[in-house]
Amino acid sequence: TQLLEQSPQFLSIQEGENLTVYCNSSSVFSSLQWYRQEPGEGPVLLVTVVTGGEVKKLKRLTFQFGDARKDSSLHITAAQPGDTGLYLCAGVKGAGKSTFGDGTTLTVKP
Amino acid sequence: EPEVTQTPSHQVTQMGQEVILRCVPISNHLYFYWYRQILGQKVEFLVSFYNNEISEKSEIFDDQFSVERPDGSNFTLKIRSTKLEDSAMYFCASRTLAGYTGELFFGEGSRLTVL
């Protein structure tokens, strides 16, 4: 069974602070995707990382894929209340099945 | 912008009843998936479907579950005899290409409540 462990599970910070969410696995994935999920809605893709060591930036969000393609991190700079939500990582291999981590619930207080 | 649509958004049913959840994937997509998310828990893979057949299924997807694509547009998930533990959000997803080049598009989900 491929497991993706996310940490921390819950994170509550003040507006303007920086944070990092981690996604770790013992398995190697073809790619790793980060999603954001709002309550009552489906996950929405933020980014896909493919190459070991790859870094992608999406405004204040920085995503990194580990050199061995087993782990990833999401760093948010100067968090805003609008960043509040559930962040999910998902590893992809095989026939494109995505295996999801448990998620990190982020709360950014104004 | 094309999107995956799911119906119903919420269904309440009695234990033992059959339920059909419907999905219309994005029209040029080739791979289709059902995932479920029990309240407060992780998103779990149920089944993947390609070329009119199941390509992979999880342990959750037992004989009570079935999928079909009856008319080339709809993609349905049937639960033959619902159990209390089937209560969850069920998400349909689709993608154009297998593997890492394909972005997975999710619908907004169907909430199933089994009483």
Side-chain angles (χ1 to χ4, degrees), chain A residues 4-9 21-24 31-39 41-49 61 63 72-74 76 83-92 98-106, chain B residues 35-38 40-44 91 104 106:
Chain A
L4 277 168
E5 295 182 352
Q6 282 187 243
S7 60
Q9 188 177 359
V21 176
Y22 299 93
C23 177
N24 296 300
S31 71
L32 196 139
Q33 297 170 333
W34 284 92
Y35 294 82
R36 180 176 160 184
Q37 186 180 20
E38 300 288 346
E41 297 182 9
V44 176
L45 182 73
L46 295 174
V47 77
T48 298
V49 285
L61 279 59
F63 305 87
S72 180
S73 63
L74 158 61
I76 301 178
D83 296 328
T84 293
L86 177 65
Y87 290 83
L88 300 163
C89 66
V92 182
S98 295
T99 301
F100 282 81
D102 288 338
T104 294
T105 300
L106 172 64
Chain B
Y35 286 81
R36 81 170 186 190
Q37 186 176 33
I38 296 171
Q41 297 187 24
K42 68 190 297 182
V43 176
E44 299 175 292
F91 292 106
L104 199 62
F106 281 87

Tab-separated table of all heavy atoms in Angstrom, chain A residues 4-9 21-24 31-39 41-49 61 63 72-74 76 83-92 98-106, chain B residues 35-38 40-44 91 104 106:
chain	number	residue	atom	x	y	z
A	4	LEU	N	0.922	8.189	1.825
A	4	LEU	CA	1.449	9.533	1.820
A	4	LEU	C	1.110	10.154	3.162
A	4	LEU	O	-0.060	10.203	3.546
A	4	LEU	CB	0.817	10.359	0.695
A	4	LEU	CG	1.421	10.203	-0.682
A	4	LEU	CD1	0.548	10.833	-1.724
A	4	LEU	CD2	2.809	10.805	-0.735
A	5	GLU	N	2.115	10.587	3.877
A	5	GLU	CA	1.902	11.187	5.183
A	5	GLU	C	2.119	12.683	5.095
A	5	GLU	O	3.179	13.140	4.633
A	5	GLU	CB	2.854	10.574	6.209
A	5	GLU	CG	2.585	9.090	6.441
A	5	GLU	CD	3.493	8.495	7.497
A	5	GLU	OE1	4.421	9.185	7.944
A	5	GLU	OE2	3.272	7.326	7.870
A	6	GLN	N	1.116	13.426	5.522
A	6	GLN	CA	1.225	14.870	5.519
A	6	GLN	C	1.406	15.367	6.938
A	6	GLN	O	0.818	14.842	7.881
A	6	GLN	CB	-0.037	15.498	4.919
A	6	GLN	CG	-0.084	15.440	3.419
A	6	GLN	CD	-1.250	16.226	2.853
A	6	GLN	OE1	-2.130	15.658	2.218
A	6	GLN	NE2	-1.254	17.532	3.077
A	7	SER	N	2.196	16.421	7.061
A	7	SER	CA	2.366	17.049	8.365
A	7	SER	C	2.545	18.548	8.182
A	7	SER	O	3.127	18.987	7.179
A	7	SER	CB	3.573	16.448	9.092
A	7	SER	OG	4.760	16.660	8.337
A	8	PRO	N	2.060	19.349	9.115
A	8	PRO	CA	1.221	18.916	10.218
A	8	PRO	C	-0.201	18.619	9.754
A	8	PRO	O	-0.560	18.957	8.630
A	8	PRO	CB	1.246	20.132	11.142
A	8	PRO	CG	1.374	21.290	10.203
A	8	PRO	CD	2.259	20.801	9.086
A	9	GLN	N	-0.983	17.989	10.588
A	9	GLN	CA	-2.368	17.706	10.239
A	9	GLN	C	-3.226	18.964	10.346
A	9	GLN	O	-4.133	19.181	9.551
A	9	GLN	CB	-2.919	16.622	11.155
A	9	GLN	CG	-4.296	16.117	10.751
A	9	GLN	CD	-4.781	14.981	11.631
A	9	GLN	OE1	-4.088	14.548	12.543
A	9	GLN	NE2	-5.984	14.505	11.362
A	21	VAL	N	4.164	22.951	4.635
A	21	VAL	CA	3.457	21.678	4.797
A	21	VAL	C	4.276	20.610	4.090
A	21	VAL	O	4.791	20.840	2.995
A	21	VAL	CB	2.043	21.765	4.184
A	21	VAL	CG1	1.340	20.421	4.250
A	21	VAL	CG2	1.224	22.838	4.886
A	22	TYR	N	4.371	19.450	4.733
A	22	TYR	CA	5.213	18.383	4.192
A	22	TYR	C	4.370	17.176	3.786
A	22	TYR	O	3.347	16.866	4.397
A	22	TYR	CB	6.249	17.951	5.236
A	22	TYR	CG	7.174	19.065	5.633
A	22	TYR	CD1	6.904	19.867	6.740
A	22	TYR	CD2	8.326	19.337	4.887
A	22	TYR	CE1	7.733	20.906	7.101
A	22	TYR	CE2	9.171	20.375	5.241
A	22	TYR	CZ	8.875	21.154	6.350
A	22	TYR	OH	9.714	22.182	6.701
A	23	CYS	N	4.856	16.496	2.756
A	23	CYS	CA	4.191	15.305	2.243
A	23	CYS	C	5.282	14.259	2.009
A	23	CYS	O	6.171	14.487	1.193
A	23	CYS	CB	3.472	15.648	0.945
A	23	CYS	SG	2.665	14.262	0.126
A	24	ASN	N	5.240	13.171	2.749
A	24	ASN	CA	6.318	12.184	2.701
A	24	ASN	C	5.792	10.789	2.412
A	24	ASN	O	4.702	10.411	2.847
A	24	ASN	CB	7.063	12.159	4.038
A	24	ASN	CG	7.750	13.460	4.321
A	24	ASN	OD1	8.612	13.911	3.574
A	24	ASN	ND2	7.358	14.100	5.407
A	31	SER	N	4.749	11.470	-10.407
A	31	SER	CA	4.544	12.888	-10.154
A	31	SER	C	3.816	13.036	-8.837
A	31	SER	O	3.301	12.060	-8.275
A	31	SER	CB	3.716	13.528	-11.269
A	31	SER	OG	2.373	13.076	-11.190
A	32	LEU	N	3.778	14.241	-8.360
A	32	LEU	CA	3.051	14.523	-7.133
A	32	LEU	C	2.254	15.797	-7.349
A	32	LEU	O	2.763	16.755	-7.937
A	32	LEU	CB	4.009	14.678	-5.953
A	32	LEU	CG	3.344	14.602	-4.585
A	32	LEU	CD1	4.184	13.802	-3.630
A	32	LEU	CD2	3.054	15.986	-4.055
A	33	GLN	N	1.027	15.759	-6.907
A	33	GLN	CA	0.146	16.905	-7.110
A	33	GLN	C	-0.307	17.454	-5.765
A	33	GLN	O	-0.469	16.708	-4.796
A	33	GLN	CB	-1.064	16.480	-7.947
A	33	GLN	CG	-0.654	16.019	-9.340
A	33	GLN	CD	-1.779	15.378	-10.118
A	33	GLN	OE1	-2.703	14.821	-9.560
A	33	GLN	NE2	-1.694	15.451	-11.436
A	34	TRP	N	-0.503	18.754	-5.733
A	34	TRP	CA	-1.068	19.423	-4.567
A	34	TRP	C	-2.441	19.962	-4.954
A	34	TRP	O	-2.607	20.587	-6.009
A	34	TRP	CB	-0.166	20.567	-4.096
A	34	TRP	CG	1.052	20.095	-3.363
A	34	TRP	CD1	2.279	19.832	-3.891
A	34	TRP	CD2	1.163	19.850	-1.959
A	34	TRP	NE1	3.140	19.419	-2.910
A	34	TRP	CE2	2.488	19.429	-1.701
A	34	TRP	CE3	0.277	19.936	-0.881
A	34	TRP	CZ2	2.957	19.102	-0.436
A	34	TRP	CZ3	0.732	19.606	0.381
A	34	TRP	CH2	2.054	19.197	0.602
A	35	TYR	N	-3.390	19.708	-4.076
A	35	TYR	CA	-4.754	20.186	-4.255
A	35	TYR	C	-5.161	21.019	-3.040
A	35	TYR	O	-4.638	20.848	-1.939
A	35	TYR	CB	-5.755	19.025	-4.366
A	35	TYR	CG	-5.607	18.158	-5.585
A	35	TYR	CD1	-4.662	17.137	-5.625
A	35	TYR	CD2	-6.424	18.352	-6.687
A	35	TYR	CE1	-4.539	16.329	-6.745
A	35	TYR	CE2	-6.315	17.544	-7.810
A	35	TYR	CZ	-5.373	16.538	-7.828
A	35	TYR	OH	-5.248	15.745	-8.936
A	36	ARG	N	-6.159	21.865	-3.284
A	36	ARG	CA	-6.800	22.579	-2.189
A	36	ARG	C	-8.282	22.252	-2.227
A	36	ARG	O	-8.899	22.239	-3.299
A	36	ARG	CB	-6.588	24.083	-2.332
A	36	ARG	CG	-7.220	24.882	-1.218
A	36	ARG	CD	-6.891	26.327	-1.372
A	36	ARG	NE	-7.838	27.143	-0.640
A	36	ARG	CZ	-7.835	28.455	-0.660
A	36	ARG	NH1	-6.957	29.096	-1.391
A	36	ARG	NH2	-8.720	29.114	0.038
A	37	GLN	N	-8.847	21.967	-1.062
A	37	GLN	CA	-10.254	21.589	-0.998
A	37	GLN	C	-10.985	22.496	-0.020
A	37	GLN	O	-10.578	22.650	1.140
A	37	GLN	CB	-10.407	20.123	-0.561
A	37	GLN	CG	-11.839	19.625	-0.604
A	37	GLN	CD	-11.951	18.167	-0.173
A	37	GLN	OE1	-11.079	17.624	0.479
A	37	GLN	NE2	-13.051	17.532	-0.555
A	38	GLU	N	-12.074	23.088	-0.507
A	38	GLU	CA	-12.960	23.890	0.340
A	38	GLU	C	-14.064	22.982	0.875
A	38	GLU	O	-14.419	21.984	0.228
A	38	GLU	CB	-13.573	25.030	-0.463
A	38	GLU	CG	-12.565	25.985	-1.065
A	38	GLU	CD	-11.890	26.877	-0.044
A	38	GLU	OE1	-12.375	26.948	1.102
A	38	GLU	OE2	-10.871	27.483	-0.390
A	39	PRO	N	-14.633	23.313	2.025
A	39	PRO	CA	-15.709	22.474	2.591
A	39	PRO	C	-16.846	22.263	1.603
A	39	PRO	O	-17.317	23.209	0.975
A	39	PRO	CB	-16.170	23.288	3.811
A	39	PRO	CG	-14.982	24.110	4.193
A	39	PRO	CD	-14.296	24.449	2.904
A	41	GLU	N	-16.818	20.864	-1.261
A	41	GLU	CA	-16.444	20.910	-2.670
A	41	GLU	C	-15.375	19.865	-2.969
A	41	GLU	O	-14.776	19.299	-2.069
A	41	GLU	CB	-15.923	22.300	-3.052
A	41	GLU	CG	-16.971	23.387	-2.892
A	41	GLU	CD	-16.447	24.747	-3.321
A	41	GLU	OE1	-15.336	24.809	-3.901
A	41	GLU	OE2	-17.147	25.744	-3.080
A	42	GLY	N	-15.150	19.641	-4.253
A	42	GLY	CA	-14.114	18.709	-4.644
A	42	GLY	C	-12.738	19.351	-4.622
A	42	GLY	O	-12.608	20.572	-4.653
A	43	PRO	N	-11.681	18.535	-4.572
A	43	PRO	CA	-10.317	19.080	-4.596
A	43	PRO	C	-10.044	19.814	-5.907
A	43	PRO	O	-10.488	19.382	-6.969
A	43	PRO	CB	-9.443	17.829	-4.478
A	43	PRO	CG	-10.334	16.770	-3.898
A	43	PRO	CD	-11.687	17.074	-4.413
A	44	VAL	N	-9.296	20.902	-5.813
A	44	VAL	CA	-8.912	21.681	-6.987
A	44	VAL	C	-7.397	21.652	-7.092
A	44	VAL	O	-6.694	21.971	-6.129
A	44	VAL	CB	-9.416	23.131	-6.880
A	44	VAL	CG1	-8.916	23.953	-8.066
A	44	VAL	CG2	-10.942	23.162	-6.826
A	45	LEU	N	-6.908	21.283	-8.256
A	45	LEU	CA	-5.470	21.152	-8.446
A	45	LEU	C	-4.765	22.498	-8.355
A	45	LEU	O	-5.185	23.477	-8.963
A	45	LEU	CB	-5.183	20.528	-9.811
A	45	LEU	CG	-3.707	20.278	-10.119
A	45	LEU	CD1	-3.187	19.108	-9.312
A	45	LEU	CD2	-3.507	20.013	-11.611
A	46	LEU	N	-3.673	22.522	-7.587
A	46	LEU	CA	-2.826	23.716	-7.507
A	46	LEU	C	-1.616	23.572	-8.435
A	46	LEU	O	-1.288	24.491	-9.185
A	46	LEU	CB	-2.335	23.927	-6.070
A	46	LEU	CG	-3.412	24.234	-5.024
A	46	LEU	CD1	-2.790	24.278	-3.639
A	46	LEU	CD2	-4.105	25.548	-5.347
A	47	VAL	N	-0.946	22.418	-8.361
A	47	VAL	CA	0.284	22.249	-9.120
A	47	VAL	C	0.603	20.760	-9.262
A	47	VAL	O	0.166	19.949	-8.437
A	47	VAL	CB	1.457	22.968	-8.424
A	47	VAL	CG1	1.955	22.168	-7.244
A	47	VAL	CG2	2.593	23.273	-9.381
A	48	THR	N	1.340	20.434	-10.304
A	48	THR	CA	1.912	19.099	-10.470
A	48	THR	C	3.428	19.238	-10.547
A	48	THR	O	3.929	20.071	-11.311
A	48	THR	CB	1.405	18.431	-11.754
A	48	THR	OG1	-0.006	18.258	-11.680
A	48	THR	CG2	2.045	17.068	-11.947
A	49	VAL	N	4.147	18.460	-9.757
A	49	VAL	CA	5.611	18.416	-9.861
A	49	VAL	C	6.007	17.045	-10.373
A	49	VAL	O	5.443	16.029	-9.962
A	49	VAL	CB	6.307	18.748	-8.527
A	49	VAL	CG1	6.229	20.236	-8.253
A	49	VAL	CG2	5.695	17.973	-7.363
A	61	LEU	N	2.927	30.754	-3.200
A	61	LEU	CA	3.073	29.333	-2.898
A	61	LEU	C	4.279	28.773	-3.644
A	61	LEU	O	4.440	29.014	-4.845
A	61	LEU	CB	1.817	28.558	-3.324
A	61	LEU	CG	0.603	28.565	-2.392
A	61	LEU	CD1	0.082	29.962	-2.123
A	61	LEU	CD2	-0.495	27.667	-2.927
A	63	PHE	N	6.288	25.133	-4.324
A	63	PHE	CA	6.187	23.686	-4.233
A	63	PHE	C	7.519	23.074	-4.609
A	63	PHE	O	8.153	23.490	-5.564
A	63	PHE	CB	5.105	23.167	-5.190
A	63	PHE	CG	3.757	23.790	-4.989
A	63	PHE	CD1	3.437	24.979	-5.624
A	63	PHE	CD2	2.812	23.172	-4.193
A	63	PHE	CE1	2.190	25.562	-5.445
A	63	PHE	CE2	1.559	23.742	-4.021
A	63	PHE	CZ	1.247	24.939	-4.641
A	72	SER	N	7.504	15.839	-0.859
A	72	SER	CA	7.270	17.172	-1.411
A	72	SER	C	6.933	18.129	-0.289
A	72	SER	O	6.576	17.708	0.825
A	72	SER	CB	6.122	17.125	-2.429
A	72	SER	OG	5.874	18.401	-2.986
A	73	SER	N	7.077	19.397	-0.562
A	73	SER	CA	6.697	20.404	0.419
A	73	SER	C	5.969	21.546	-0.273
A	73	SER	O	6.172	21.801	-1.465
A	73	SER	CB	7.927	20.932	1.158
A	73	SER	OG	8.805	21.590	0.259
A	74	LEU	N	5.130	22.178	0.510
A	74	LEU	CA	4.395	23.368	0.074
A	74	LEU	C	4.713	24.474	1.068
A	74	LEU	O	4.477	24.318	2.270
A	74	LEU	CB	2.892	23.082	0.055
A	74	LEU	CG	1.931	24.276	0.134
A	74	LEU	CD1	2.114	25.217	-1.033
A	74	LEU	CD2	0.483	23.794	0.223
A	76	ILE	N	4.100	28.489	1.994
A	76	ILE	CA	3.294	29.681	1.734
A	76	ILE	C	3.952	30.863	2.442
A	76	ILE	O	4.221	30.811	3.654
A	76	ILE	CB	1.838	29.523	2.201
A	76	ILE	CG1	1.186	28.331	1.495
A	76	ILE	CG2	1.041	30.800	1.931
A	76	ILE	CD1	-0.259	28.065	1.922
A	83	ASP	N	-6.142	31.972	2.242
A	83	ASP	CA	-5.401	30.718	2.070
A	83	ASP	C	-5.990	29.602	2.931
A	83	ASP	O	-5.601	28.437	2.805
A	83	ASP	CB	-3.927	30.892	2.444
A	83	ASP	CG	-3.199	31.855	1.530
A	83	ASP	OD1	-3.554	31.922	0.326
A	83	ASP	OD2	-2.287	32.555	2.015
A	84	THR	N	-6.908	29.940	3.804
A	84	THR	CA	-7.527	28.944	4.683
A	84	THR	C	-8.184	27.844	3.861
A	84	THR	O	-8.884	28.121	2.890
A	84	THR	CB	-8.568	29.619	5.593
A	84	THR	OG1	-7.891	30.499	6.488
A	84	THR	CG2	-9.356	28.592	6.391
A	85	GLY	N	-7.920	26.597	4.251
A	85	GLY	CA	-8.516	25.464	3.544
A	85	GLY	C	-7.772	24.185	3.857
A	85	GLY	O	-6.845	24.161	4.665
A	86	LEU	N	-8.199	23.113	3.203
A	86	LEU	CA	-7.565	21.805	3.347
A	86	LEU	C	-6.622	21.607	2.169
A	86	LEU	O	-7.038	21.700	1.014
A	86	LEU	CB	-8.627	20.704	3.363
A	86	LEU	CG	-8.128	19.256	3.432
A	86	LEU	CD1	-7.417	18.998	4.747
A	86	LEU	CD2	-9.292	18.282	3.254
A	87	TYR	N	-5.371	21.358	2.454
A	87	TYR	CA	-4.366	21.143	1.415
A	87	TYR	C	-4.030	19.648	1.363
A	87	TYR	O	-3.694	19.036	2.380
A	87	TYR	CB	-3.116	21.973	1.694
A	87	TYR	CG	-3.370	23.446	1.489
A	87	TYR	CD1	-3.952	24.211	2.501
A	87	TYR	CD2	-3.070	24.065	0.276
A	87	TYR	CE1	-4.217	25.548	2.301
A	87	TYR	CE2	-3.336	25.409	0.082
A	87	TYR	CZ	-3.905	26.147	1.099
A	87	TYR	OH	-4.181	27.466	0.898
A	88	LEU	N	-4.134	19.108	0.170
A	88	LEU	CA	-3.933	17.676	-0.037
A	88	LEU	C	-2.789	17.447	-1.008
A	88	LEU	O	-2.708	18.112	-2.035
A	88	LEU	CB	-5.195	17.039	-0.629
A	88	LEU	CG	-6.472	17.130	0.188
A	88	LEU	CD1	-7.683	16.852	-0.693
A	88	LEU	CD2	-6.430	16.128	1.331
A	89	CYS	N	-1.923	16.499	-0.682
A	89	CYS	CA	-0.959	16.045	-1.675
A	89	CYS	C	-1.433	14.695	-2.204
A	89	CYS	O	-2.141	13.956	-1.515
A	89	CYS	CB	0.451	15.941	-1.109
A	89	CYS	SG	0.699	14.677	0.150
A	90	ALA	N	-1.068	14.402	-3.437
A	90	ALA	CA	-1.467	13.141	-4.059
A	90	ALA	C	-0.346	12.658	-4.964
A	90	ALA	O	0.143	13.410	-5.799
A	90	ALA	CB	-2.759	13.314	-4.858
A	91	GLY	N	0.040	11.411	-4.778
A	91	GLY	CA	1.069	10.811	-5.616
A	91	GLY	C	0.431	10.052	-6.757
A	91	GLY	O	-0.615	9.426	-6.601
A	92	VAL	N	1.057	10.106	-7.921
A	92	VAL	CA	0.513	9.466	-9.111
A	92	VAL	C	1.503	8.422	-9.625
A	92	VAL	O	2.674	8.691	-9.772
A	92	VAL	CB	0.248	10.485	-10.224
A	92	VAL	CG1	-0.377	9.804	-11.439
A	92	VAL	CG2	-0.663	11.593	-9.719
A	98	SER	N	-4.492	8.494	-8.440
A	98	SER	CA	-3.900	9.394	-7.462
A	98	SER	C	-4.158	8.861	-6.068
A	98	SER	O	-5.299	8.566	-5.719
A	98	SER	CB	-4.499	10.797	-7.598
A	98	SER	OG	-4.162	11.372	-8.836
A	99	THR	N	-3.096	8.738	-5.271
A	99	THR	CA	-3.213	8.326	-3.867
A	99	THR	C	-3.033	9.559	-3.012
A	99	THR	O	-1.999	10.220	-3.088
A	99	THR	CB	-2.146	7.280	-3.528
A	99	THR	OG1	-2.307	6.148	-4.380
A	99	THR	CG2	-2.284	6.843	-2.080
A	100	PHE	N	-4.017	9.856	-2.186
A	100	PHE	CA	-4.023	11.090	-1.430
A	100	PHE	C	-3.445	10.929	-0.039
A	100	PHE	O	-3.591	9.874	0.601
A	100	PHE	CB	-5.454	11.622	-1.301
A	100	PHE	CG	-5.958	12.297	-2.546
A	100	PHE	CD1	-6.454	11.550	-3.599
A	100	PHE	CD2	-5.903	13.675	-2.671
A	100	PHE	CE1	-6.900	12.168	-4.760
A	100	PHE	CE2	-6.354	14.301	-3.818
A	100	PHE	CZ	-6.845	13.554	-4.866
A	101	GLY	N	-2.800	12.007	0.439
A	101	GLY	CA	-2.432	12.098	1.835
A	101	GLY	C	-3.644	12.450	2.671
A	101	GLY	O	-4.737	12.686	2.146
A	102	ASP	N	-3.443	12.496	3.986
A	102	ASP	CA	-4.553	12.779	4.901
A	102	ASP	C	-4.981	14.244	4.880
A	102	ASP	O	-6.066	14.577	5.340
A	102	ASP	CB	-4.173	12.410	6.339
A	102	ASP	CG	-4.107	10.907	6.531
A	102	ASP	OD1	-4.733	10.192	5.725
A	102	ASP	OD2	-3.438	10.458	7.468
A	103	GLY	N	-4.119	15.096	4.378
A	103	GLY	CA	-4.473	16.506	4.302
A	103	GLY	C	-3.945	17.326	5.464
A	103	GLY	O	-3.706	16.815	6.562
A	104	THR	N	-3.777	18.600	5.205
A	104	THR	CA	-3.398	19.572	6.234
A	104	THR	C	-4.457	20.661	6.243
A	104	THR	O	-4.683	21.309	5.211
A	104	THR	CB	-2.027	20.191	5.937
A	104	THR	OG1	-1.023	19.178	6.032
A	104	THR	CG2	-1.728	21.307	6.923
A	105	THR	N	-5.091	20.840	7.397
A	105	THR	CA	-6.106	21.893	7.528
A	105	THR	C	-5.420	23.156	7.999
A	105	THR	O	-4.881	23.199	9.110
A	105	THR	CB	-7.198	21.468	8.517
A	105	THR	OG1	-7.825	20.280	8.037
A	105	THR	CG2	-8.243	22.569	8.650
A	106	LEU	N	-5.439	24.169	7.143
A	106	LEU	CA	-4.781	25.439	7.434
A	106	LEU	C	-5.827	26.487	7.778
A	106	LEU	O	-6.796	26.666	7.049
A	106	LEU	CB	-3.965	25.905	6.233
A	106	LEU	CG	-3.376	27.317	6.330
A	106	LEU	CD1	-2.360	27.405	7.451
A	106	LEU	CD2	-2.758	27.734	4.994
B	35	TYR	N	-13.777	8.564	-6.363
B	35	TYR	CA	-13.139	8.632	-5.059
B	35	TYR	C	-14.237	8.876	-4.027
B	35	TYR	O	-15.312	9.369	-4.352
B	35	TYR	CB	-12.144	9.796	-4.985
B	35	TYR	CG	-10.858	9.585	-5.728
B	35	TYR	CD1	-10.774	9.791	-7.107
B	35	TYR	CD2	-9.707	9.200	-5.056
B	35	TYR	CE1	-9.587	9.599	-7.781
B	35	TYR	CE2	-8.508	9.017	-5.724
B	35	TYR	CZ	-8.456	9.220	-7.087
B	35	TYR	OH	-7.282	9.033	-7.743
B	36	ARG	N	-13.946	8.553	-2.775
B	36	ARG	CA	-14.897	8.925	-1.729
B	36	ARG	C	-14.134	9.541	-0.560
B	36	ARG	O	-12.935	9.326	-0.380
B	36	ARG	CB	-15.699	7.714	-1.256
B	36	ARG	CG	-14.979	6.833	-0.265
B	36	ARG	CD	-15.873	5.797	0.349
B	36	ARG	NE	-15.160	5.068	1.384
B	36	ARG	CZ	-15.618	3.983	1.970
B	36	ARG	NH1	-16.803	3.483	1.631
B	36	ARG	NH2	-14.913	3.384	2.903
B	37	GLN	N	-14.879	10.334	0.198
B	37	GLN	CA	-14.285	10.989	1.360
B	37	GLN	C	-15.299	10.948	2.494
B	37	GLN	O	-16.302	11.667	2.443
B	37	GLN	CB	-13.894	12.422	1.021
B	37	GLN	CG	-13.131	13.137	2.120
B	37	GLN	CD	-12.692	14.528	1.689
B	37	GLN	OE1	-13.373	15.200	0.923
B	37	GLN	NE2	-11.532	14.961	2.168
B	38	ILE	N	-15.047	10.085	3.449
B	38	ILE	CA	-15.870	10.055	4.648
B	38	ILE	C	-15.579	11.326	5.443
B	38	ILE	O	-14.433	11.800	5.455
B	38	ILE	CB	-15.582	8.795	5.481
B	38	ILE	CG1	-15.996	7.553	4.670
B	38	ILE	CG2	-16.280	8.820	6.821
B	38	ILE	CD1	-15.571	6.244	5.268
B	40	GLY	N	-14.383	14.150	7.458
B	40	GLY	CA	-13.213	14.306	8.313
B	40	GLY	C	-12.059	13.385	7.997
B	40	GLY	O	-11.049	13.398	8.701
B	41	GLN	N	-12.223	12.574	6.945
B	41	GLN	CA	-11.165	11.615	6.606
B	41	GLN	C	-10.563	11.925	5.236
B	41	GLN	O	-10.942	12.883	4.573
B	41	GLN	CB	-11.722	10.194	6.675
B	41	GLN	CG	-12.190	9.798	8.074
B	41	GLN	CD	-12.581	8.348	8.163
B	41	GLN	OE1	-12.134	7.507	7.380
B	41	GLN	NE2	-13.405	8.030	9.150
B	42	LYS	N	-9.640	11.085	4.841
B	42	LYS	CA	-8.903	11.359	3.614
B	42	LYS	C	-9.706	10.993	2.374
B	42	LYS	O	-10.692	10.261	2.441
B	42	LYS	CB	-7.582	10.593	3.628
B	42	LYS	CG	-7.735	9.090	3.538
B	42	LYS	CD	-6.420	8.370	3.797
B	42	LYS	CE	-5.376	8.693	2.768
B	42	LYS	NZ	-4.115	7.944	3.016
B	43	VAL	N	-9.274	11.506	1.244
B	43	VAL	CA	-9.865	11.156	-0.043
B	43	VAL	C	-9.341	9.766	-0.429
B	43	VAL	O	-8.134	9.560	-0.524
B	43	VAL	CB	-9.474	12.199	-1.114
B	43	VAL	CG1	-10.011	11.781	-2.468
B	43	VAL	CG2	-9.989	13.573	-0.727
B	44	GLU	N	-10.255	8.830	-0.656
B	44	GLU	CA	-9.874	7.433	-0.916
B	44	GLU	C	-10.245	7.033	-2.340
B	44	GLU	O	-11.364	7.265	-2.795
B	44	GLU	CB	-10.609	6.495	0.046
B	44	GLU	CG	-10.316	6.730	1.516
B	44	GLU	CD	-11.173	5.841	2.382
B	44	GLU	OE1	-12.414	6.053	2.426
B	44	GLU	OE2	-10.619	4.922	3.011
B	91	PHE	N	-16.717	11.565	-5.046
B	91	PHE	CA	-16.212	12.474	-6.071
B	91	PHE	C	-15.899	11.707	-7.348
B	91	PHE	O	-15.228	10.674	-7.319
B	91	PHE	CB	-14.930	13.167	-5.602
B	91	PHE	CG	-15.140	14.131	-4.468
B	91	PHE	CD1	-14.735	13.798	-3.188
B	91	PHE	CD2	-15.728	15.370	-4.694
B	91	PHE	CE1	-14.917	14.685	-2.141
B	91	PHE	CE2	-15.921	16.254	-3.645
B	91	PHE	CZ	-15.515	15.911	-2.370
B	104	LEU	N	-5.917	16.010	-12.952
B	104	LEU	CA	-7.136	15.346	-12.503
B	104	LEU	C	-8.171	16.416	-12.169
B	104	LEU	O	-7.940	17.277	-11.338
B	104	LEU	CB	-6.829	14.494	-11.280
B	104	LEU	CG	-7.805	13.394	-10.897
B	104	LEU	CD1	-7.911	12.347	-11.978
B	104	LEU	CD2	-7.370	12.752	-9.597
B	106	PHE	N	-11.825	17.251	-10.665
B	106	PHE	CA	-12.840	16.686	-9.789
B	106	PHE	C	-14.171	17.410	-9.959
B	106	PHE	O	-14.210	18.613	-10.181
B	106	PHE	CB	-12.417	16.822	-8.322
B	106	PHE	CG	-11.413	15.804	-7.881
B	106	PHE	CD1	-10.062	16.025	-8.059
B	106	PHE	CD2	-11.819	14.629	-7.277
B	106	PHE	CE1	-9.128	15.092	-7.655
B	106	PHE	CE2	-10.898	13.689	-6.861
B	106	PHE	CZ	-9.545	13.920	-7.050
